[in-house]
Amino acid sequence: MRVGVFICHCGSNIAGTVDVAKVAEEARKMPGVAYATDYMYTCSEPGQKEITDAIERDKLDRVVVAACSPRMHENTFRRTIMKAGLNRYFFEQANIREHVSWIGLDKELNTTKAIEEVRMAVAKVMKNKPLFSSSFKINKRVLVIGGGVAGMQAAIDCADGGLEVVMVEKSPSIGGMMARLDKTFPTVDCSICILGPKMVDVAQHDLIKLHAYSEIAEIKGYVGNYQVKIRKKPTYVDWTKCTGCGLCMEKCPTKNAYDHFNFGAAPTRAINIPFPQAIPKKATIDPNYCRQFVKGKCGVCAKVCPTGAINYEMQDEFITEEVGAIITATGYGLMDVEKLTEYGGGRYPDVISGIQYERFLNASGPTSGHIIRPSDHEEPKTIVFVSCAGSRDKSCGVPYCSNFCCMYIAKQAILTKDHIPDSQSYVFYMDIRSPGKGYDEFTRRAQEEYGAKYIRGRVSRIYPKGKKMVVKGADTLLGTQVEIEADLVVLATAVVSAPDAGQMAEKLHISYDTFGFYVESHPKLRPVETNTSGVYLAGCCQGPKDIPASVGQGSAAAAKVLSLFSKDMLESDPAIAQVNTNNCVGCLKCLKTCPFQAIVEDTLRSGKKVAKVIETVCAGCGVCTSTCPCGAIQLQHFTDNQLLAEVNAICQK
Amino acid sequence: MSEVAPKELRIVGFLCNWCSYGGADTAGVGRFKQPTDLRIIRVPCSGRVDPMFVVRALLTGADGVLVSGCHPRDCHYTDGNFYARRRLEMLKRLLPFMGIDDRRFHYTWVSASEGQKWQQVVTGFTNQVHALGPMHQK
C-alpha cells in the first residue's frame, strides 16, 4: 500500500502554530506512507496538481491531506484523487486547522497533535475500501411549507421553472406576516398591493397546488423521493361550496373570538374570513369560540349560508403527496407582550405590540385604518415606541437583534404623523440599525421631516396615571432620566421562532439552534441549504430578516431545487450499511433499531434468515452496526475495523 | 523556569459528524482555546459509537474517552443519539466493574453552533482526566 500525505500550511493559519515540515517528516516514517510533503495551499489549483502529480509519479494508491476540516474540503480532494484515477473513498482528511492550529498556541504540543491526527488518518485510509455510488430516479415535485412571502416566491419561481409545487399553509389564507402589514419600508409602498398579485399568482398557477389550513403530519423518505402526509384541518365549512360572501361572518352571534390574523388587536366573529384579499377567500369556524361547539346549539351560520357550505361534523382529512425536495418557509413568531412585565404588556390595554399597531394603521384592520387607544377608543396624540422590547436582552432569552424593528418603528412614526398630523411620536432606541439600501435615509426622514423624537436609552417602567401611560426611561446621550406621559405605547416585540419550529425540524430531520431557528449548512456559503440533502430554507425560519432578504432566500431556495432537478438521476451515497450474510445470524436486532426502516428480513436460497439493507433508504447512521452482536452488518467507510484502526493509532504507540 | 508544562494525557473523542464535529469546528473558527490532549475520531452519528470502542481505547492506552453527539431530539438521523444515550449510560455504570474509574468516560451533547460550549466540555473533561492522572503506568 502506498499512501501519500500532504500537509497544508493554509498560509499561516496552520503553519503559524504547527511545524508543518516536521509533521511531513514524521509522516514519512509511518507504516504504509510512500510520500509526504507540505504545501502552502493544498486546496489551490497548483496544490491539487501536486497531489495528482504525486499519485502518478510515486504510484500512490491512497491519499491523506492534513488541512482544514473535512466539512470544508473533503469533496474537493475526493474529486482531485478521482481525476488521478483513484476511488474517491481512498481519501482521508486530518483536521489540523479547526481542531489543532486554531485552538492552541503551543507550537510543540500542536505539532505533536498534528502528527497524531495524521497517524490516525493514515491508519484509517489503509483500511478504506473502494465504494461506488448507484443512481436513482428523482420525483421532480417540490413541497413548499409556509405561504408567506418567502414561500410564495419560492413556489412561483419553481413553478415558473416548470416544476409541480405543493404548498402547505397552516392558516386559512396564504400571505403570512406581510399580508398583515399596512405599508413597507423604506418606500412606504402599500404592503398588500404588492403582495396581492403574488398571492393571486400562487392561486392561479397551473403547477401550484395549495393546501391551506393544513399541516405536515409526517415526512418519510430521502432526497428525490419523499412521502409527505398532510393533515387538512377541519374548517367546518365546505370550501368547494363557500363563495366567500361573508354573510355568515356578519350574522355570527359570537363577537368575542380571538383574531389570529390581527394578533388580538380586536375581537372577531367565531366564523370569519381573515382579510378581504385572503386566498383562498373562504370562511373558517374557530371551534374554541363557536356556540355550536361550545354550547352545542346555535347554527346561525348554517341557516344563513346561501350555498349550504357549513358542516359542523367535519373531521381531519389526511392526504399523501410525493415530492423530491422540500423548501421550508415556516416563518417566525413574536414574543408575547405579557412576557414584558415591566412594560405592563397584557396588563394595560394601551400598551400594544408593533404588529397590533400595524393592524390599527391598516385600512382593512379592526378600526378601518383609524388609530385608537384600545381603552377608550379615543385618538392618541402622544405615542411612544419602545424598540428592542425583548430583543438584545439576555434576561428575556433573546440576546440577538430582531433585525427589522428599527425600520418598522421609523415607518410607523411616519405613518402616525400622516394619520394624526397634530400627534407627537417618541422612539426609545438602543442603536438605530438601518444598514439596508435607503434605510438610513428613511430613519432620518422620520426624525427630520416627520418630527419623531428619538431618545437613546431604554425604558425602565411603564405605569398608568389617569388616562395616560407614564413611560419612564433614560436618555443616555444627555445622561438624564426622562418621563413621557403617553396616550399609547407601542412595543417592538422581539422576533422569536415559530411556536412549533422544533417539532417541524424533527419531522424534517434538520437542526435548529437554541432559539428554534433552523441551521443552514454553512453560515456564509450555503445559506439556504440544510445538512439534510433535499431540504432547503427560506425566510425567517432561519433567522429574523426583512422582506427583501426573505424574497431573495425564497428565490435562492427555488434555484437550488431547480438545479437539483436539472438531472434525471441522483447519485446515492455509497457509505451505507452492508450485511455479511455469512456472519448474520438473523436476530434482526438491526431491523428494530434502524431509524429509517431501511432493513428488511430476507431469506437466502439456503433457507437462512438474514437482514437485508434497502440501499436507497439507508441514510448511513450506523446505529445498526453498533447494535449487531456479531459484526455482520457494517456501515461502509465507518466499519468497526476502520474506527478501531484510528483508536489503535492513538492508543498503541 | 521552575514550572514544567504538565504532561499531556491521551484522550480520545468520538464526535458525530453533524453536530459535535461541527461544534468543534465552530470552536476552532472562533479561536476558542482548548487543551491539546484530545484526539478526535469522526463518526456519522453518536449511535455509531460501539461501547466496545470506548473500552478498547481505555484498555489499550487512553486515559479518557469523550463521546459527543447532537442534542436529544435534534439528531440528524432522528433518534440515533437516543440509542447512544442508552448504551453509553449503561457503559458508564459498567466501567467501575471493569476496574475503570467512570470519571474517565464522559458523554455529552454539543450542537454545531455551540463552539463555546465545546470549549467548556473539552476543558472540563481534560481537567477531570488530569486530576485522575495517567491510567497506564509506563
Side-chain angles (χ1 to χ4, degrees), chain A residues 69 71 506 509 626-627 640, chain B residues 17 25 47-48 73 78 87:
Chain A
S69 170
R71 285 164 58 103
E506 282 156 33
H509 301 165
S626 345
T627 306
D640 286 345
Chain B
N17 178 48
D25 281 358
R48 172 66 191 92
R73 303 181 67 82
T78 318
R87 286 178 189 141

Side-chain angles (χ1 to χ4, degrees), chain A residues 462-505:
Chain A
I462 297 172
Y463 58 91
K465 185 179 169 191
K467 284 176 82 179
K468 301 263 184 183
M469 299 301 300
V470 180
V471 182
K472 247 182 124 160
D475 186 330
T476 54
L477 294 180
L478 292 176
T480 55
Q481 292 285 316
V482 279
E483 266 189 33
I484 297 168
E485 292 195 359
D487 297 316
L488 183 66
V489 180
V490 179
L491 305 177
T493 43
V495 171
V496 295
S497 56
D500 51 354
Q503 287 105 294
M504 194 68 227

Side-chain angles (χ1 to χ4, degrees), chain A residues 245-458:
Chain A
C245 68
L247 198 60
C248 50
M249 202 172 158
E250 236 169 75
K251 302 287 181 209
C252 175
T254 310
K255 297 187 173 93
N256 62 346
Y258 183 81
D259 192 341
H260 293 275
F261 186 76
N262 287 328
F263 277 86
T268 185
R269 308 295 170 101
I271 183 165
N272 69 74
I273 299 169
F275 59 107
Q277 297 87 345
I279 283 179
K281 200 181 174 201
K282 308 281 179 192
T284 307
I285 292 179
D286 185 343
N288 295 319
Y289 293 94
C290 174
R291 284 190 194 181
Q292 185 71 33
F293 289 89
V294 178
K295 294 200 175 133
K297 59 177 180 189
C298 176
V300 169
C301 48
K303 274 177 219 133
V304 298
C305 180
T307 56
I310 310 295
N311 173 11
Y312 298 117
E313 309 296 319
M314 204 180 255
Q315 298 290 322
D316 278 349
E317 190 192 331
F318 289 93
I319 53 168
T320 304
E321 292 278 5
E322 300 202 332
V323 296
I326 300 171
I327 295 174
T328 315
T330 45
Y332 64 100
L334 288 163
M335 185 182 275
D336 202 344
V337 285
E338 283 173 32
K339 259 187 121 178
L340 302 159
T341 47
E342 70 275 30
Y343 295 160
R347 255 181 306 151
Y348 307 131
D350 294 337
V351 177
I352 61 172
S353 68
I355 189 78
Q356 290 176 331
Y357 191 65
E358 193 78 33
R359 293 308 299 156
F360 286 137
L361 290 169
N362 194 298
S364 68
T367 56
S368 307
H370 298 294
I371 304 174
I372 54 140
R373 284 159 55 100
S375 61
D376 55 11
H377 291 231
E378 270 174 36
E379 198 175 62
K381 298 291 177 196
T382 310
I383 294 141
V384 173
F385 295 92
V386 181
S387 64
C388 301
S391 314
R392 302 177 69 196
D393 189 345
K394 271 189 188 164
S395 65
C396 290
V398 180
Y400 54 85
C401 167
S402 292
N403 187 305
F404 46 72
C405 324
C406 284
M407 292 307 297
Y408 84 64
I409 285 179
K411 175 196 71 184
Q412 290 184 341
I414 289 176
L415 294 175
T416 305
K417 196 78 180 169
D418 277 343
H419 279 69
I420 314 167
D422 61 338
S423 68
Q424 176 63 54
S425 296
Y426 294 88
V427 176
F428 280 91
Y429 70 100
M430 285 163 76
D431 300 290
I432 302 175
R433 298 198 160 166
S434 51
K437 194 175 170 182
Y439 284 14
D440 206 55
E441 296 91 313
F442 187 74
T443 54
R444 279 175 189 282
R445 241 179 99 198
Q447 298 168 56
E448 290 160 8
E449 212 176 301
Y450 288 85
K453 292 214 168 98
Y454 271 60
I455 303 163
R456 188 179 191 277
R458 298 195 68 179

Side-chain angles (χ1 to χ4, degrees), chain A residues 7 52 66 105 160 207 229 400 460:
Chain A
I7 320 290
T52 47
L105 295 173
D160 283 346
L207 291 174
K229 201 164 156 193
Y400 54 85
S460 59

Side-chain angles (χ1 to χ4, degrees), chain B residues 43-108:
Chain B
V43 289
C45 177
S46 53
R48 172 66 191 92
V49 179
D50 193 323
M52 182 257 291
F53 296 162
V54 179
V55 176
R56 173 82 85 99
L58 286 169
L59 291 181
T60 57
D63 301 302
V65 176
L66 176 66
V67 177
S68 185
C70 304
H71 285 278
R73 303 181 67 82
D74 190 16
C75 177
H76 184 72
Y77 302 104
T78 318
D79 42 25
N81 54 3
F82 286 127
Y83 288 107
R85 185 166 69 180
R86 274 196 186 189
R87 286 178 189 141
L88 299 174
E89 182 54 39
M90 191 66 175
L91 173 70
K92 199 165 173 61
R93 294 178 197 192
L94 201 66
L95 285 175
F97 293 95
M98 302 162 86
I100 301 171
D101 194 318
D102 66 356
R103 285 170 295 176
R104 292 189 183 277
F105 168 63
H106 181 57
Y107 69 92
T108 186

Side-chain angles (χ1 to χ4, degrees), chain A residues 69-71 74 95 98-99 103 113 116 120 506 509 511 531 593 595 621 626-627 638 640 650-651, chain B residues 8 10 17 21 24-25 28 31 33-34 38-40 42 47-48 60 73-74 76-79 83 87:
Chain A
S69 170
R71 285 164 58 103
E74 189 170 50
N95 185 345
E98 281 85 343
H99 293 184
I103 57 166
K113 185 171 179 185
E116 289 205 13
M120 283 155 66
E506 282 156 33
H509 301 165
S511 341
N531 279 333
T593 55
C621 64
S626 345
T627 306
F638 292 98
D640 286 345
I650 319 169
C651 296
Chain B
E8 265 199 2
R10 213 164 284 167
N17 178 48
Y21 197 92
D25 281 358
R31 311 296 198 278
K33 298 285 170 281
Q34 295 154 40
L38 180 72
R39 308 285 181 262
I40 291 170
R42 183 163 70 128
R48 172 66 191 92
T60 57
R73 303 181 67 82
D74 190 16
H76 184 72
Y77 302 104
T78 318
D79 42 25
Y83 288 107
R87 286 178 189 141

